[in-house]
């Protein structure tokens, strides 16, 4: 796929909750599935995609909106989010799930990029996070902007990293907030495992 070509469509946006199938299947019927064709072109000999392969794939797709390489760190955290067998790679089903999520994030990104700059700024990120259902303090939002922005502007790959981490950390916390009251107790080792895996 050449730079600037559209990312293969995957149908309606899904929110990375419903994965239940095998990571990869040699018997998958690829007839008419442009995502499978694309997956086959970028997957390694093992039939899976690692972070470097995903980075090349996303850079070549032009989804970032620039000619600069898609962030390798963002690719690593996307794979970690979907790596249910802890191999550091993803099979076709996870790859397809990721394409759907990337398309949804791209649509959301373009919606909140009100000035059409190709980046999201502080006030636009506040709107985007609100649309995703999160209620964050101004201090937390400022911390997020400082972490993911370059000169106050957040590019798409950093926006994706922010979305993935925000969701994963929220899920990690909710599993420990048994009463759903916004507080949780956990041991240091549990905290490190949960946050460093993302």
């Amino acid at each position: 796929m050449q730079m600037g070509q559209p990312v293969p469509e995957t149908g309606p946006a899904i929110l990375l909750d419903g994965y239940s199938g095998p990571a990869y299947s040699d018997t998958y019927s690829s007839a008419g599935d442009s995502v499978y064709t694309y997956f086959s072109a970028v997957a390694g000999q093992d039939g899976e995609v690692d972070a470097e392969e995903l980075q090349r794939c996303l850079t070549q797709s032009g989804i970032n909106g620039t000619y600069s390489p898609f962030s390798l760190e963002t690719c690593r955290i996307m794979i970690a989010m979907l790596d249910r067998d802890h191999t550091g790679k993803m099979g076709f089903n996870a790859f397809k799930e990721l394409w759907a999520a990337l398309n949804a994030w791209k649509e959301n990104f373009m919606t909140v990029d009100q000035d059409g700059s190709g980046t999201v700024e502080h006030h636009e990120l506040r709107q985007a996070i609100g649309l995703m259902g999160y209620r964050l303090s101004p201090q937390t939002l400022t911390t997020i902007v400082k972490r993911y922005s370059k000169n106050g502007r957040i590019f798409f790959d950093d926006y994706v990293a922010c979305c993935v981490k925000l969701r994963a950390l929220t899920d990690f916390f909710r599993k420990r907030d048994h009463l759903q009251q916004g507080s949780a107790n956990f041991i240091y080792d549990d905290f490190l495992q949960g946050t460093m895996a993302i």
Side-chain angles (χ1 to χ4, degrees), residues 135-148:
R135 293 181 306 261
L136 304 179
S137 71
Q139 298 83 2
T140 300
L141 186 61
T142 298
T143 299
I144 290 171
V145 169
K146 285 179 182 176
R147 166 64 178 87
Y148 291 100

Side-chain angles (χ1 to χ4, degrees), residues 7-24 28 33 35-36 39 49 54 58 63 78-85 89-106 160 164 167 171:
V7 175
E9 292 299 324
T10 57
I14 53 178
L15 298 174
L16 303 170
D17 283 331
Y19 179 86
S20 61
Y24 179 73
Y28 179 80
D33 191 336
V35 177
Y36 185 80
F39 172 80
V49 174
L54 182 60
L58 295 176
I63 195 168
M78 287 189 294
I79 287 181
M81 172 181 68
L82 294 168
D83 185 13
R84 289 162 181 90
D85 60 1
K89 298 179 180 186
M90 72 171 90
F92 173 67
N93 289 335
F95 183 81
K96 188 168 185 172
E97 188 176 349
L98 179 61
W99 273 120
L102 281 166
N103 282 311
W105 285 324
K106 184 68 173 187
V160 170
V164 171
R167 179 190 168 107
D171 289 347

Side-chain angles (χ1 to χ4, degrees), residues 9 17-18 24 37 50 64-65 67 69 74 80 93 101 104 106 108 111 114 123 130-131 137-138 146 152 173 186 197:
E9 292 299 324
D17 283 331
Y24 179 73
T37 302
D50 64 22
N64 209 17
Y67 289 97
T74 299
N93 289 335
K106 184 68 173 187
N108 182 271
T111 299
Q114 298 163 349
H123 69 283
L131 289 172
S137 71
K146 285 179 182 176
F173 183 85
F186 40 86

Side-chain angles (χ1 to χ4, degrees), residues 42-78:
V42 298
Q45 292 279 340
D46 58 359
E48 295 190 312
V49 174
D50 64 22
E52 290 81 12
E53 290 164 335
L54 182 60
Q55 180 190 37
R56 283 192 301 277
C57 167
L58 295 176
T59 299
Q60 291 173 358
S61 76
I63 195 168
N64 209 17
T66 69
Y67 289 97
S68 61
F70 203 90
S71 164
L72 182 58
E73 180 59 21
T74 299
C75 293
R76 286 183 182 127
I77 66 170
M78 287 189 294

Side-chain angles (χ1 to χ4, degrees), residues 116-130:
S117 65
T119 61
V120 169
E121 296 160 22
H122 191 280
H123 69 283
E124 294 168 328
L125 183 64
R126 181 177 57 242
Q127 178 189 4
I129 287 175

